[in-house]
């Protein structure tokens, strides 16, 4: 019998990579997707899996839809990747973010608790829960200190996942993922914003890229590696939570500088704070500048994960380092915009 996996958030970055991984392991993949007028299957198409998975209508705020899917399929593993996942938007839409990213998880777990069969459940937790970090690097023992509606909602979901494991003896686990990127990352997120922005400037369809805090530090890994860790977590005998991270931290500025190499831009930084900008040497044209509009109301300055336990117990390690990640993303967007 083939195992059936349910992936919520199938149209997102991780959903596509995870679907590809599970298909390669001979799962039947049911992808839960909310209806959209936009083309939300482009990632699945890009990885060549769009026609290999079953798509079901799904909205995290509608419990009846969740019940319907669990009644229709005997699901072995649930990967809950669906969320309003953009920190910036969570400040503009705090109530819907809490409803989807926080309460949505409780809805799924309540449905699972009342089922006759007991699927394993993975929750996509976030390093943003560490927020204004209380120690560095962050480990499973580091206290949380969330500073955005997104992170607070994720923390509610995280503790709900732990509570259902302890209170009801369910196999429910949380992966605290640090930032992970790829050519399939949404264009609002800073790494992809940089690689698409520089590609558009190179193609002559954008003059200048505007960014927020370029001194923010992040622990960036490759999404393809992270979905592998998610799968490993559900294959363990014992249900427990893990940190998924590379253990290396770089600034947004370093990401930009590394990416520039692939666009043949000879440029220099000038100015201070909000007036800092990146200028082309050949004609003094500004190609990147700071816009305070992109600052978060509450900034998370640095995130750095300690995944040593994950590496040891799951025998997992990231295969793509920072330089390669920037290379893959830059070359991919360069090709898209400069054909
Ligand atoms: P993503 O690309 O933004 O995908 C989010 C998915 O959730 C999309 O498929 C989206 O559907 C779906 N969704 C949003 N609201 C929904 C709703 N109300 N009902 C049903 N589905 C809904 O995110 P990702 O990068 O793949 O990340 C996957 C998960 O990991 C997310 O929960 C994210 O918060 C978490 N996470 C990500 C990172 C990272 O660095 N990528 C780090 C830590 C944690 P639409 O296409 O219709 O919008």
């Amino acid at each position: 019998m083939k195992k059936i996996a349910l992936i919520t958030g199938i149209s997102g970055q991780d959903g596509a990579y995870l679907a590809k991984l599970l298909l390669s392991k001979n799962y039947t993949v049911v992808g839960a997707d909310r209806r959209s007028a936009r083309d939300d299957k482009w990632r699945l198409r890009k990885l060549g899996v769009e026609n290999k998975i079953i798509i079901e209508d799904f909205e995290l705020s509608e419990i009846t839809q969740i019940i319907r899917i669990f009644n229709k399929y005997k699901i072995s593993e649930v990967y809950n990747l669906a969320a309003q996942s953009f920190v910036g938007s969570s400040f503009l839409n705090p109530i819907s973010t809490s409803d989807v990213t926080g309460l949505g998880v409780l809805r799924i777990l309540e449905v699972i608790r009342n089922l006759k069969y007991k699927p394993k459940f993975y929750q996509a937790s976030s390093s943003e829960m560490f927020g204004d970090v209380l120690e560095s690097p962050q480990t499973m023992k580091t206290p949380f200190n969330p500073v955005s509606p997104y992170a607070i909602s994720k923390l509610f979901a995280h503790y709900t996942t732990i509570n259902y494991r302890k209170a009801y003896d369910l196999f429910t686990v949380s992966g605290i993922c640090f930032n992970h990127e790829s050519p399939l990352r949404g264009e609002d997120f800073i790494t992809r914003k940089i690689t698409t922005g520089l590609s558009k400037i190179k193609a002559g369809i954008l003059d200048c890229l505007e960014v927020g805090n370029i001194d923010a530090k992040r622990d960036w890994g490759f999404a393809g590696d992270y979905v592998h860790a998610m799968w490993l977590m559900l294959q363990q005998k014992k249900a427990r939570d893990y940190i998924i991270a590379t253990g290396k931290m770089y600034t947004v500025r370093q990401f930009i500088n590394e990416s520039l190499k692939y666009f043949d831009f000879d440029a220099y930084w000038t100015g201070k704070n909000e007036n800092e900008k990146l200028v082309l040497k050949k004609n003094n044209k500004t190609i990147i500048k700071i816009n305070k509009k992109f600052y978060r109301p509450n900034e998370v300055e640095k995130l750095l994960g300690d995944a040593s336990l994950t590496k040891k117990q799951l025998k997992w390690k990231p295969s793509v380092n920072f330089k390669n990640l920037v290379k893959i993303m830059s070359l991919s967007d360069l090709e898209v915009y400069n054909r």
Side-chain angles (χ1 to χ4, degrees):
M1 279 280 280
K2 273 175 124 181
K3 277 191 189 173
I4 302 177
L6 172 67
I7 304 177
T8 75
I10 190 74
S11 61
Q13 169 188 258
D14 292 6
Y17 281 108
L18 182 61
K20 189 170 169 96
L21 176 79
L22 296 182
L23 286 169
S24 77
K25 296 189 180 295
N26 205 29
Y27 282 72
T28 297
V29 176
V30 178
D33 185 34
R34 61 179 174 166
R35 265 193 58 74
S36 169
R38 296 193 195 157
D39 173 20
D40 66 350
K41 309 281 185 326
W42 64 272
R43 294 182 172 97
L44 298 171
R45 229 173 2 259
K46 209 156 181 175
L47 296 188
V49 297
E50 187 189 11
N51 298 322
K52 297 180 182 159
I53 59 184
I54 303 164
I55 297 286
E56 287 285 349
D57 258 5
F58 175 88
E59 162 58 60
L60 257 179
S61 48
E62 289 290 344
I63 197 158
T64 47
Q65 293 215 11
I66 304 173
I67 296 170
R68 186 184 58 79
I69 294 184
F70 281 98
N71 285 339
K72 185 166 174 186
Y73 303 96
K74 184 143 190 272
I75 294 159
S76 310
E77 295 173 15
V78 183
Y79 296 87
N80 181 42
L81 310 182
Q84 189 303 95
S85 67
F86 192 56
V87 175
S89 297
S90 78
F91 284 100
L92 298 172
N93 307 295
I95 296 170
S96 60
T97 299
S98 309
D99 188 31
V100 170
T101 306
L103 269 183
V105 178
L106 180 57
R107 288 189 190 96
I108 298 179
L109 288 172
E110 261 304 280
V111 171
I112 291 178
R113 182 170 80 82
N114 286 293
L115 286 174
K116 290 210 172 71
Y117 68 97
K118 298 293 170 223
K120 293 181 175 179
F121 175 86
Y122 170 88
Q123 165 59 13
S125 282
S126 168
S127 55
E128 288 283 337
M129 300 187 309
F130 294 117
D132 190 4
V133 297
L134 298 173
E135 69 176 3
S136 205
Q138 291 85 57
T139 71
M140 290 305 297
K141 291 190 177 137
T142 303
F144 296 116
N145 193 20
V147 291
S148 66
Y150 167 78
I152 292 165
S153 307
K154 281 285 181 189
L155 194 53
F156 171 84
H158 180 72
Y159 278 125
T160 301
T161 303
I162 294 172
N163 189 42
Y164 273 62
R165 177 166 79 228
K166 291 188 173 160
Y168 306 118
D169 198 24
L170 294 172
F171 196 109
T172 60
V173 297
S174 238
I176 305 179
C177 283
F178 282 63
N179 292 58
H180 46 283
E181 320 293 315
S182 75
L184 304 187
R185 185 68 146 144
E187 291 190 21
D188 284 344
F189 293 90
I190 186 63
T191 53
R192 187 85 202 293
K193 185 173 169 180
I194 293 165
T195 57
T196 52
L198 291 175
S199 301
K200 287 178 188 169
I201 293 168
K202 184 85 186 167
I205 50 177
L206 179 73
D207 277 338
C208 179
L209 172 66
E210 295 188 347
V211 295
N213 178 8
I214 56 173
D215 292 314
K217 293 179 181 164
R218 292 290 182 271
D219 178 332
W220 279 300
F222 172 57
D225 287 334
Y226 285 41
V227 299
H228 185 225
M230 295 173 195
W231 174 76
L232 284 172
M233 284 176 64
L234 290 195
Q235 312 315 309
Q236 305 306 302
K237 280 212 177 77
K238 188 171 159 33
R240 59 158 300 167
D241 310 318
Y242 287 97
I243 279 181
I244 310 174
T246 69
K248 303 240 160 53
M249 187 165 67
Y250 299 87
T251 59
V252 172
R253 184 195 303 273
Q254 282 172 301
F255 193 105
I256 294 172
N257 290 341
E258 188 62 31
S259 184
L260 285 174
K261 294 178 188 167
Y262 301 97
F263 296 91
D264 279 338
F265 286 142
D266 199 2
Y268 62 94
W269 291 99
T270 176
K272 281 220 158 78
N273 304 326
E274 290 131 52
N275 296 319
E276 193 166 4
K277 53 191 185 176
L278 186 73
V279 178
L280 286 182
K281 277 190 191 157
K282 64 173 183 189
N283 55 10
N284 284 332
K285 193 177 160 244
T286 300
I287 56 167
I288 297 187
K289 68 179 176 191
I290 312 295
N291 185 336
K292 275 172 77 178
K293 177 176 105 180
F294 297 110
Y295 285 6
R296 293 181 186 179
N298 240 348
E299 187 54 75
V300 169
E301 285 297 338
K302 52 178 184 175
L303 290 172
L304 176 65
D306 177 352
S308 47
L309 194 73
T310 317
K311 289 178 183 163
K312 194 171 154 209
Q313 294 193 348
L314 300 187
K315 298 187 177 41
W316 171 84
K317 65 172 187 212
S319 68
V320 178
N321 65 18
F322 174 74
K323 277 184 185 254
N324 275 333
L325 180 65
V326 180
K327 182 177 178 185
I328 295 167
M329 294 179 69
S330 303
L331 292 181
S332 167
D333 279 325
L334 190 62
E335 201 204 316
V336 170
Y337 290 98
N338 294 269
R339 280 198 180 121

